[in-house]
Amino acid sequence: MKLVVNGNSYEVPCPADTPLLWALREEVGLTGTKFGCGKALCGACTVHVDGEPKRSCVTPCGDVVDKAIITIEGLVRDSVLHPVQQAWVEENVPQCGYCQAGQIMTAVVLLRAKPQPTDAEIDDAMSANLCRCGTYPRIRKTVHRAAELLAAAPPAVTK
Amino acid sequence: MTELSRRGFLGGLLAGGGALVLAACGGGARGAQTLRIQHADQTGELVANLYISVLPTGRVALVVNKAEIGQGVTTGYATMVADEIGVPLDHVDVLFAGANAALRTSANMQITGGSTSTMEAFVPLRQAAASAREMLIAAAAEQWRVPVTLCRAVDGHVEHLADKLSFGELTKHAARMPVPASPRLKTAKEFTLIGKVDRRIDARAKVDGTAQFGIDVSVPNMVNAFAIHGPVYGAKPLTVTADAAKARPGVLAVIAMPWGVAIVADKFWQARAAAADVRITWDKGLVAGLDTTKMRDALRAHDGTGEGQVSKHDGNAADALADADVTIGGVYEAPYLAHATLEPQNATVAVSGGRAEVWAPTQSPTLVQAFVANALGIDMEHVTVHVTLCGGGFGRRAIADVCAQAAMIAAHVKRPVKLTWTRESDMTQAWYRPIYSVKVEGALRGGKVTGARIHAVSQSIALSGKTLFGAALSKLPGPVVDMVTNAALALFSTSSFGDIFATEGIANSPYQLGNFELSSEPVQTKLPVAFWRSVGNSVTGFVMEGFIDELAVAAKQDPFALRRQLLPPNSKQTRVLDALAKLSGWATPPGTGIGRGMARHFAFETECAQVVELSVVRDRIRVHRVYCVVDCGLAINPDIVKAQMEGAIIFGLSAALDQEITLVNGVVQQRNYDTFPLLRMHECPEIIVEILPSDAPPSGVGEPGLPPIAPAVANALFALTNVRLRRLPLHRAWAERGAA
Ligand code: FES
Ligand code: FES
């Protein structure tokens, strides 16, 4: 089966019902996307599929063949961080860091739809992404910071 | 961040002994110096001591013998070292130490816990850096033929007037310099980074997907394992039917183990899919029939009139209660809790020829050695440990049960194995925060507090510890089990009174309550209990601060004013409390519909106090704002201290409001985040943190922010509703108020 991840094509030997998460981690070799719950309850495994945030732990590979899949690694261009990642670093968001790929992937989609989100819109978009370390106050603040960075220098779009 | 294995051969020789102080300053033996010079000549590296090497590039390699569980220890240690040696922070590369007896700096263990990492390293780690700095300066001074006192180390260079040599140019020469016996430490005034740095060194790798956690480990020839654990803790498989599973592509083995069934495949997704084709019957397990509802009643029945071990006795509490004109009291209760680290337990193990090599996200390489050695029947010294980043710890990763299981699978299939637990296994196989039931009684006369009696009943970590560790480490020699158990218990406890974990935070409470009696009583089960962020303090903070609030109500006093009266004057406690009153605007009443409550707690040498503002909407407690003041001595990285306060408050709030582990007929009822909820973004309060300036050495930071939050919420709820909740989690207690 063919997966298009971060602009590259991969032939993966998984049956169609294999969760995308494991195909990404074990067959494509991109481990930035994390396993937290396996039941669409935590958001650690969030990736973009055709620009939409998807829980890769419950997304069968068969559903995303030939669709544009973007992972956390795909946000980085020539070693330059995406503005949302940059904001995350500036504000010292990560503690253990395990949830942060999912948080960032969700925030990127939010900021595309709402370039200047309110706190309530941030809460709405981000409330299904869990963080055991409790980085929420910083995430809320940092999404605003990311909005500023994005307004100043929008990133190129990966297809 | 990788591990510096080539340091192994130097490690043994340069180590001065078990203590970090010796390792940091030692290495004075002749043989060590010869070796240091040879090594420098070959590689250009100055291996100053076990912890610090200066490379010919001028970069500093720092070996960290602690786990990075999100608490920022790598940034903190790098900051101390960079400041002391004289390089910018980004010139320090952190390498996680493997298991090494010379690096057992905490109660004869290599372990991260008890909020001790910064406290423990503040002097010796800077000595290690200062020692390297003095060797570099000595080398430069010798080249320039000037006294060392005229040279200084700045920004990765040694300077004298207009002369300047980079650290990298000096390493070979510096290796020939004697190791300073007592290197001079910078004074607080000279700090350039400590107390000032405002970034984390690990942030970039944690946002671009490159950070390597245990679950990301891959080693040559590795296969993957999926574990099925029984419905009841400790259940053994009786029969396993797995023909269909074994026939699936990629599946290598389905193995019945004493602790469950392992499915091994090339890829984890193959093993996971095959689980659907495995049929298992189980024995009844270790905690058959255990029921937390019944347990709760049983715990409440131990009301202090029976056995009990008196751990503190000042004056006569019984007389004070008899003579009181007002008495108050009740039973405070707290459930079992899981850690629920977002990265599930996992480990990668290779076994061959009586040796094992382990890659694990662990808080204790020493306990990994013990668990794996025990599982395989080999010597602890024959277990090599590589420490990875940890996706959360909170005490869970001090226990290496998953490493033992991975080792047993690896021994069976004779290939390196990565075992990744499901969330469901992680939740049902945790070493839980124990269940507690604490009876409090307070006496007042003429509006003054005259005495208190407290009886704490809990599943005892201290007593279970030995039994449970003993059971988990059944093949290790007794003295080794004692060593690891005692050391782990000692490290995680902040008190040495009676049943330490049952009463820590009460026994050492700074309140002056007059006549005071404290006793405790253990209730044992075979459900494993261990260390959960702030350990006993996670309950005793709730007990003491709820109790003080009740005393204030009975004394018709403001809770802040009463606390101030009962705390030692001019203490850390009153300073923090005064700052909190100011920060939170305590003197001004809260808005309509808002309840405001206060709590404080002293643990891990740190005083932390919080004010909560909340409302209740359709039976849901909505915490709007938390004010937090902390005195943790010198804050090495103030923004990380702030992050730890935020994190501990949110972690504690999740537990205070909604979390509990319950068992029905031996089966843990919570299996994933739907039934063991974490606080979410929209439920997260605004958190305002103030760190009191201090010249005192650093004290604990990772845990002390947690104990005050639950009582502050309960006290605020009382202020708003006149309902006193003494049971966690509060939403359940609220729903069942009046019922019990
Ligand atoms: S792992 Fe997919 S949502 Fe938790
Ligand atoms: S940073 Fe640890 S889970 Fe979010």
Side-chain angles (χ1 to χ4, degrees):
Chain A
M1 151 165 347
K2 196 179 111 204
L3 295 181
V4 183
V5 185
N6 301 331
N8 302 316
S9 285
Y10 299 86
E11 192 56 43
V12 301
C14 311
D17 63 351
T18 305
L20 174 61
L21 169 66
W22 298 105
L24 289 171
R25 290 181 54 83
E26 298 196 283
E27 300 298 342
V28 179
L30 295 174
T31 55
T33 305
K34 296 297 190 239
F35 167 56
C37 68
K39 301 267 167 72
L41 296 168
C42 76
C45 64
T46 307
V47 298
H48 299 171
V49 176
D50 283 348
E52 287 301 312
K54 283 271 184 269
R55 301 292 190 245
S56 64
C57 69
V58 293
T59 303
C61 281
D63 288 7
V64 295
V65 174
D66 287 334
K67 295 192 177 170
I69 301 161
I70 305 290
T71 69
I72 188 72
E73 292 91 345
L75 295 185
V76 183
R77 284 305 198 75
D78 301 325
S79 305
V80 177
L81 296 181
H82 185 282
V84 175
Q85 292 170 310
Q86 186 55 41
W88 245 247
V89 172
E90 281 178 20
E91 301 291 339
N92 291 335
V93 175
Q95 289 189 27
C96 84
Y98 196 77
C99 71
Q100 298 298 342
Q103 306 279 5
I104 290 168
M105 296 312 280
T106 306
V108 167
V109 176
L110 161 69
L111 286 164
R112 238 180 245 149
K114 300 204 159 73
Q116 300 294 332
T118 61
D119 276 351
E121 286 167 342
I122 295 173
D123 283 3
D124 250 14
M126 304 296 300
S127 70
N129 281 80
L130 300 180
C131 174
R132 186 53 164 151
C133 300
T135 62
Y136 305 125
R138 280 165 196 250
I139 292 176
R140 201 184 276 150
K141 179 170 163 218
T142 304
V143 171
H144 291 300
R145 174 71 187 138
E148 287 170 19
L149 293 181
L150 278 163
V157 181
T158 303
K159 268 284 166 220
Chain B
M1 290 175 202
T2 51
E3 173 226 8
L4 195 65
S5 52
R6 69 197 156 74
R7 183 128 304 120
F9 81 98
L10 284 169
L13 281 157
L14 294 187
L20 180 53
V21 180
L22 288 177
C25 301
R30 258 201 127 71
Q33 187 75 348
T34 309
L35 199 69
R36 177 180 290 121
I37 293 166
Q38 282 170 4
H39 185 75
D41 286 346
Q42 275 165 24
T43 64
E45 294 177 4
L46 165 66
V47 181
N49 45 61
L50 266 177
Y51 296 87
I52 291 165
S53 298
V54 184
L55 309 190
T57 55
R59 297 192 70 78
V60 175
L62 164 64
V63 173
V64 170
N65 68 335
K66 296 289 170 181
E68 178 58 72
I69 47 182
Q71 85 283 41
V73 68
T74 47
T75 300
Y77 277 25
T79 301
M80 292 193 269
V81 165
D83 200 330
E84 194 63 47
I85 199 169
V87 297
L89 182 58
D90 60 8
H91 283 206
V92 179
D93 296 313
V94 167
L95 312 147
F96 288 116
N100 180 342
L103 298 176
R104 291 185 189 165
T105 53
S106 318
N108 199 26
M109 298 263 281
Q110 229 174 311
I111 190 166
T112 303
S115 293
T116 55
S117 297
T118 305
M119 280 190 256
E120 180 185 298
F122 182 60
V123 171
L125 190 60
R126 287 185 302 133
Q127 282 174 339
S131 166
R133 182 192 68 222
E134 292 194 356
M135 290 165 83
L136 291 161
I137 289 178
E142 199 167 89
Q143 291 186 23
W144 295 327
R145 297 171 200 280
V146 297
V148 289
T149 47
L150 296 181
C151 303
R152 50 189 212 129
V154 187
D155 247 355
H157 293 79
V158 180
E159 298 176 356
H160 168 252
L161 302 176
D163 287 331
K164 205 170 168 179
L165 285 167
S166 74
F167 282 5
E169 293 173 287
L170 288 165
T171 48
K172 283 190 189 174
H173 192 161
R176 291 170 163 75
M177 297 294 111
V179 176
S182 52
R184 188 190 78 86
L185 292 184
K186 286 187 178 177
T187 61
K189 280 203 185 70
E190 297 171 85
F191 291 156
T192 54
L193 299 170
I194 291 174
K196 301 182 171 76
V197 163
D198 62 355
R199 59 183 209 85
R200 290 183 71 109
I201 61 169
D202 54 354
R204 162 130 193 169
K206 288 177 175 178
V207 304
D208 69 6
T210 58
Q212 293 285 299
F213 296 87
I215 201 168
D216 304 323
V217 165
S218 180
V219 302
N221 204 28
M222 182 183 91
V223 293
N224 284 273
F226 180 98
I228 305 173
H229 294 101
V232 174
Y233 187 84
K236 291 186 179 62
L238 293 172
T239 61
V240 180
T241 314
D243 294 341
K246 284 180 185 161
R248 278 174 168 264
V251 173
L252 303 169
V254 178
I255 314 156
M257 290 285 184
W259 43 261
V261 174
I263 304 167
V264 186
D266 286 328
K267 300 289 165 63
F268 184 77
W269 65 261
Q270 294 167 325
R272 180 183 173 279
D277 286 342
V278 179
R279 300 281 163 270
I280 309 163
T281 59
W282 301 92
D283 78 0
K284 62 185 178 44
L286 287 176
V287 293
L290 192 67
D291 186 308
T292 41
T293 305
K294 289 184 198 138
M295 230 185 133
R296 181 184 171 217
D297 294 339
L299 260 64
R300 288 178 69 101
H302 294 262
D303 61 356
T305 52
E307 301 300 276
Q309 178 197 5
V310 176
S311 49
K312 201 169 179 186
H313 210 142
D314 293 337
N316 193 323
D319 284 355
L321 285 162
D323 293 345
D325 45 39
V326 181
T327 59
I328 58 147
V331 178
Y332 282 80
E333 297 168 281
Y336 288 115
L337 288 174
H339 309 77
T341 58
L342 208 61
E343 178 189 17
Q345 304 308 302
N346 65 81
T348 305
V349 183
V351 177
S352 77
R355 296 189 168 264
E357 189 165 8
V358 183
W359 294 260
T362 176
Q363 288 177 248
S364 178
T366 313
L367 283 172
V368 169
Q369 287 183 306
F371 271 81
V372 169
N374 185 70
L376 300 175
I378 62 176
D379 289 342
M380 271 177 74
E381 292 67 37
H382 290 171
V383 181
T384 306
V385 182
H386 308 265
V387 176
T388 69
L389 283 174
C390 302
F394 318 117
R396 178 64 181 90
R397 294 194 212 273
I399 309 296
D401 44 354
V402 71
C403 298
Q405 295 183 2
M408 291 167 79
I409 304 167
H412 194 277
V413 298
K414 300 189 169 50
R415 304 249 315 250
V417 168
K418 175 159 73 182
L419 170 62
T420 306
W421 280 8
T422 59
R423 172 59 48 197
E424 288 75 12
S425 283
D426 193 276
M427 197 75 82
T428 58
Q429 311 287 309
W431 287 51
Y432 300 102
R433 197 283 302 278
I435 191 169
Y436 282 72
S437 180
V438 183
K439 183 178 174 189
V440 301
E441 297 162 278
L444 297 104
R445 225 183 131 76
K448 292 256 174 296
V449 176
T450 53
R453 185 161 61 194
I454 300 182
H455 184 68
V457 184
S458 66
Q459 182 171 347
S460 161
I461 301 175
L463 298 177
S464 304
K466 293 224 171 182
T467 324
L468 294 167
F469 269 63
L473 303 174
S474 58
K475 286 184 232 154
L476 279 189
V480 176
V481 176
D482 287 349
M483 188 236 353
V484 297
T485 309
N486 292 340
L489 292 175
L491 180 73
F492 278 90
S493 175
T494 54
S495 152
S496 53
F497 303 94
D499 181 355
I500 47 181
F501 298 106
T503 58
E504 63 175 349
I506 303 176
N508 57 345
S509 169
Y511 288 114
Q512 296 164 341
L513 297 172
N515 300 290
F516 185 68
E517 186 181 309
L518 172 63
S519 54
S520 61
E521 199 175 346
V523 174
Q524 299 308 85
T525 80
K526 285 188 173 161
L527 191 70
V529 291
F531 318 112
W532 186 95
R533 198 172 192 172
S534 83
V535 198
N537 296 289
S538 68
V539 180
T540 58
F542 177 61
V543 173
M544 282 308 290
E545 289 301 297
F547 179 50
I548 295 291
D549 212 68
E550 291 194 62
L551 287 172
V553 173
K556 301 192 172 52
Q557 284 230 43
D558 175 79
F560 166 68
L562 182 74
R563 281 184 174 80
R564 238 178 150 300
Q565 270 170 34
L566 297 176
L567 289 167
N570 300 316
S571 58
K572 202 184 235 197
Q573 279 70 35
T574 54
R575 279 194 297 278
V576 169
L577 208 60
D578 289 350
L580 178 67
K582 199 158 159 227
L583 180 71
S584 65
W586 187 262
T588 324
T592 25
I594 301 288
R596 191 170 62 183
M598 165 181 281
R600 54 150 297 281
H601 196 75
F602 177 74
F604 312 99
E605 308 300 321
T606 287
E607 175 73 14
C608 185
Q610 293 162 10
V611 162
V612 156
E613 292 176 359
L614 56 71
S615 58
V616 178
V617 185
R618 286 187 295 278
D619 284 324
R620 295 294 295 177
I621 299 162
R622 187 85 176 86
V623 178
H624 303 287
R625 198 166 290 122
V626 180
Y627 297 94
C628 170
V629 176
V630 60
D631 181 346
C632 58
L634 174 67
I636 304 290
N637 183 319
D639 194 56
I640 292 183
V641 173
K642 188 165 171 271
Q644 285 305 295
M645 294 305 129
E646 293 163 357
I649 286 167
I650 292 165
F651 196 97
L653 205 46
S654 292
L657 294 178
D658 287 307
Q659 289 174 348
E660 57 183 335
I661 290 290
T662 57
L663 290 94
V664 175
N665 208 10
V667 179
V668 172
Q669 300 296 295
Q670 293 73 24
R671 298 176 58 77
N672 209 318
Y673 292 122
D674 48 352
T675 42
F676 192 80
L678 311 187
L679 206 75
R680 292 164 183 275
M681 177 83 94
H682 68 281
E683 300 161 318
C684 182
E686 182 189 356
I687 300 173
I688 299 125
V689 178
E690 180 179 329
I691 305 165
L692 287 197
S694 170
D695 297 331
S699 53
V701 164
E703 297 167 276
L706 188 142
I709 189 65
V713 172
N715 296 343
L717 194 68
F718 179 84
L720 182 67
T721 64
N722 244 358
V723 176
R724 173 68 59 189
L725 297 184
R726 300 190 186 91
R727 182 185 172 196
L728 298 174
L730 294 170
H731 276 136
R732 173 178 298 280
W734 178 258
E736 295 174 9
R737 66 190 185 277

